[in-house]
Amino acid sequence: MEEALLRAVLFGTPLLLACLGALLSERGGVVNLGVEGMMALSALVAFAVGLKVHPALGVLAGMGVGSLLGLFLGVFAVSLRANQFVAGLALAALGLGASGLLGKRYEGTPLPNPLPEGMLAVLALILALGLHLLLSRTRFGLYLRSVGENPKAADLFGVSVDGVRYLALALGGGMIGLAGAYLSLAYRPSWTDGMTAGLGWVAIALVILAAWQPLRAILGAYLFGLLFFLQFRLQGSVPIPSEAFAAMPYLLVILVLALSGRARAPKALGQPFDRGR
Amino acid sequence: MRWELDPSPSPRKVLLTYALFLGLALLGLGLLFLLYGVPPLKAYALLLSPLTDTLGLAEVMRRTIPLLLIGAGLALAFRIGFFNIGAEGQLLMGAVGAAYVALFLPPGLWSLPLMFLLGGSLGALWAGLAAWLRVRFGVNEILTTLMQNYLVYYLVVYLVAGPWKGQMVFGFLYTDRFPPEAQLPRLGDTLVHWPTLVLGMVAALGLQVLLFRTPLGFEWRILGENPEAARYLGLKGGRLILLSALVSGFLAGLAGVGEVAGIHLRLLEPAQISLGYGFTAILAAWLARGRPLGVLLTAPLLGLILAGGDALKLSLSMPFRVVDVAAGLLLLSFIGAEALSRRRLVWRR
């Protein structure tokens, strides 16, 4: 029982971190569908730096790469006002592709001194609480929410809509990068192509399940963590093919989305902001 | 200083913007080649190498077939505002349908038509499910179609490793070979299964006519361009979306039939059936700017990139992911250029 809960938390941690990162930018009105690719690339860079320099620096590198990719998405989604969904998808492909290409030389190399998972799990919890406070108690949180709900009004009050969105993408990207670093430096201290295994997509769905609330994201992430654990544990002990278990999380995401489909999203979500339109 | 909408950009400006972004994409790709340890120019040459001989051209054409079928349907769906990114899964559903007919029904003249019918229908069903979830429960179809990709992926793995595993194969994950009646004819020694190619061209043309010359197409275009106006006019948005999803899913299913009945002649591991056609076709559809007929141009272009990626993979033992990189960069450069060319910089607040 205790083991189940521990594994649930440890598996839920990358989901939580990636979910928080996507949630942050979505509260500001920007959809980030690039999470999977951002996680993959930051996992690779974190691993490379962790292997050659130090795992702690790897974490920072992973977060830095995540932030940069967030800003890169911002160029298209915020400045150019391109279709956010397509830009995110392209970023996902780019990140997955680049990590698979550049990571080939690290495939099969173990990390001699991995980071403790527990420490990062606690950090993720603190970040969730911090994000909750940031959104509900600070001026930046207020700006961010107003930019996500009604960018025109925010603009009239002198808030830089684009600036706030860039900042949210950079901060959120950092958290997504941390999720990637957790995977390659702590959870499974190694690098393999496709090691993110759809976690990024699940994290995006989790944002909807969490109704854009960081505290609810904690529960959602751990719930998924528990389900992943049960899937792993039940395999082989019941007469159900293992593929059915492997497909379970994705089926669950669809079910969860169907149940919470009409949850209230930030009003300006997915819409580029153009002054004077 | 800020961006403003440019209502009528000059052709020269549009062209320059696209050239600029394409250059940036090539630069980015070159940088990655350098990081990987390959001279960029050599890599570019390899990427274009399929154009230099008939074998290479046949490879390009073979890759074009699924892109054409899927891309034509996606161009329609995107125009209506249904972001079907699950063509990968719908293609696999088509492959499953084809394999069922080929392996378990008595072979005959009806085999191939029945395979196309069942494969297409399963693809349509798979896309229709996402459309229904969107219309009925307001679920974002980008996420559902994506999750569905994983679901069929595991379904196919289960089938080829379990109940449908071939009697004649040992240790490999695939079914028995399809009977001759269930195999598509090819052009000469190539892997170009021409009936599917014809289907793809007919689909692109047919959807173009449907979209621009019929009342249904008119309603579709209104819904896609202005959902508010569509509601005001009393159009049944849900039904229109569902229909476009079914069409795009059906065509993706046909592409899956073509891959297994024209190339592999058996059902096998999902990653070997699709080779990323579902995602690349998104690019083909997007490049065609919502015009199904435009896919006749963009599908071969992307077919070339896929075939060139193969050449890179073979001669430099580069991971196939290089195609994802090229596709992602191209897509970004295209939407970036489209956005930038429609704007101008104004030096005031």
Side-chain angles (χ1 to χ4, degrees):
Chain A
M1 183 63 199
E2 269 166 38
E3 192 211 345
L5 287 179
L6 181 68
R7 295 311 307 173
V9 168
L10 293 182
F11 191 86
T13 293
L15 269 177
L16 176 59
L17 286 167
C19 173
L20 291 175
L23 189 152
L24 181 56
S25 68
E26 289 203 14
R27 282 304 280 269
V30 182
V31 170
N32 179 356
L33 291 190
V35 178
E36 180 83 1
M38 290 167 72
M39 259 171 97
L41 199 55
S42 47
L44 172 66
V45 175
F47 182 76
V49 173
L51 189 69
K52 293 198 169 135
V53 194
H54 190 274
L57 239 96
V59 171
L60 287 182
M63 292 176 75
V65 169
S67 289
L68 283 178
L69 290 174
L71 291 173
F72 182 65
L73 180 66
V75 172
F76 293 89
V78 179
S79 285
L80 290 171
R81 288 143 178 93
N83 184 314
Q84 294 177 5
F85 296 95
V86 183
L89 285 177
L91 183 62
L94 189 58
L96 280 173
S99 65
L101 200 61
L102 301 176
K104 203 184 151 202
R105 68 184 75 160
Y106 296 103
E107 203 115 15
T109 315
L111 188 72
N113 44 350
L115 289 175
E117 296 161 288
M119 193 184 78
L120 289 171
V122 173
L123 181 62
L125 259 181
I126 295 172
L127 278 173
L129 292 173
L131 185 57
H132 170 72
L133 292 177
L134 181 85
L135 283 170
S136 60
R137 296 283 158 83
T138 66
R139 188 165 290 260
F140 174 71
L142 180 69
Y143 288 166
L144 185 72
R145 284 182 287 131
S146 62
V147 160
E149 295 287 341
N150 193 342
K152 202 168 260 180
D155 183 57
L156 280 176
F157 278 101
V159 177
S160 162
V161 173
D162 289 8
V164 168
R165 286 185 169 175
Y166 265 111
L167 194 54
L169 278 168
L171 289 176
M175 292 189 202
I176 295 166
L178 184 57
Y182 173 84
L183 285 179
S184 65
L185 292 172
Y187 189 75
R188 203 189 295 155
S190 60
W191 162 259
T192 40
D193 189 13
M195 70 185 296
T196 45
L199 277 178
W201 303 109
V202 178
I204 295 170
L206 201 57
V207 177
I208 302 173
L209 172 66
W212 292 268
Q213 306 283 344
L215 296 183
R216 288 178 63 166
I218 302 176
L219 285 178
Y222 292 168
L223 180 70
F224 266 91
L226 190 63
L227 286 166
F228 272 96
F229 170 77
L230 288 179
Q231 161 213 325
F232 179 72
R233 183 40 77 79
L234 288 176
Q235 259 181 46
S237 56
V238 279
I240 298 173
S242 64
E243 287 86 7
F245 280 110
M248 205 75 88
Y250 308 109
L251 188 64
L252 207 79
V253 168
I254 295 179
L255 286 178
V256 158
L257 287 175
L259 292 177
S260 58
R262 294 205 196 278
R264 222 187 66 76
K267 279 206 185 69
L269 188 62
Q271 296 162 9
F273 171 67
D274 242 334
R275 188 187 286 153
R277 262 194 100 183
Chain B
M1 184 184 95
R2 65 189 193 86
W3 294 113
E4 214 170 58
L5 273 181
D6 187 349
S8 52
S10 67
R12 186 166 157 270
K13 179 183 166 193
V14 173
L15 207 67
L16 274 176
T17 323
Y18 276 83
L20 170 75
F21 271 85
L22 200 64
L24 284 176
L26 284 177
L27 210 68
L29 194 59
L31 194 70
L32 270 169
F33 284 140
L34 265 182
L35 281 172
Y36 184 73
V38 177
L41 286 179
K42 185 181 171 197
Y44 289 139
L46 273 168
L47 209 54
L48 294 177
S49 63
L51 287 178
T52 52
D53 58 82
T54 42
L55 216 71
L57 284 174
E59 248 338 82
V60 174
M61 214 192 288
R62 170 203 156 189
R63 307 301 201 119
T64 302
I65 297 171
L67 295 178
L68 199 58
L69 278 163
I70 303 172
L74 290 187
L76 177 86
F78 290 170
R79 180 148 203 149
I80 281 104
F82 183 74
F83 285 95
N84 176 7
I85 60 164
E88 197 81 8
Q90 290 141 27
L91 178 148
L92 289 176
M93 280 305 247
V96 168
Y100 177 79
V101 174
L103 296 170
F104 300 107
L105 296 186
L109 267 181
W110 51 83
S111 286
L112 281 171
L114 212 57
M115 285 159 81
F116 277 119
L117 196 66
L118 185 66
S121 303
L122 285 182
L125 181 83
W126 210 230
L129 185 65
W132 178 73
L133 284 171
R134 165 166 162 186
V135 173
R136 177 76 178 71
F137 297 104
V139 183
N140 183 324
E141 72 274 13
I142 293 182
L143 289 169
T144 40
T145 49
L146 212 118
M147 293 299 133
Q148 283 176 293
N149 287 348
Y150 289 100
L151 294 185
V152 218
Y153 180 93
Y154 288 113
L155 172 70
V156 175
V157 172
Y158 167 68
L159 288 175
V160 297
W164 290 10
K165 188 166 158 51
Q167 307 293 314
M168 310 298 184
V169 295
F170 301 98
F172 292 104
L173 291 186
Y174 44 70
T175 65
D176 283 329
R177 208 178 155 89
F178 292 175
E181 291 89 341
Q183 299 179 7
L184 281 166
R186 302 168 181 162
L187 284 179
D189 293 337
T190 68
L191 289 172
V192 181
H193 37 106
W194 60 266
T196 334
L197 182 63
V198 174
L199 271 179
M201 294 196 287
V202 170
L205 190 67
L207 289 187
Q208 180 86 7
V209 171
L210 195 63
L211 192 57
F212 290 98
R213 292 278 182 275
T214 66
L216 172 66
F218 186 60
E219 291 187 0
W220 263 341
R221 280 182 290 140
I222 293 177
L223 182 69
E225 268 143 50
N226 196 340
E228 292 276 311
R231 200 166 331 144
Y232 188 68
L233 290 173
L235 297 182
K236 295 213 177 352
R239 205 175 289 177
L240 288 169
I241 285 176
L242 192 63
L243 195 57
S244 73
L246 290 175
V247 170
S248 67
F250 189 85
L251 289 175
L254 294 190
V257 178
E259 290 311 295
V260 290
I263 292 177
H264 306 290
L265 311 180
R266 49 165 65 95
L267 192 67
L268 65 174
E269 280 175 277
Q272 292 187 42
I273 299 175
S274 167
L275 311 170
Y277 293 129
F279 184 77
T280 316
I282 294 176
L283 194 52
W286 201 262
L287 286 169
R289 320 190 72 159
R291 287 165 201 281
L293 207 53
V295 179
L296 286 179
L297 268 176
T298 59
L301 186 75
L302 291 160
L304 171 64
I305 292 182
L306 286 180
D310 256 357
L312 274 174
K313 191 175 122 192
L314 284 175
S315 46
L316 300 176
S317 66
M318 201 178 245
F320 197 70
R321 288 283 195 190
V322 64
V323 172
D324 284 343
V325 177
L329 280 172
L330 261 181
L331 193 52
L332 276 176
S333 79
F334 189 80
I335 60 169
E338 182 180 85
L340 188 64
S341 66
R342 285 200 201 152
R343 267 155 224 290
R344 60 184 166 203
L345 204 54
V346 180
W347 295 93
R348 61 180 158 74
R349 225 188 107 84

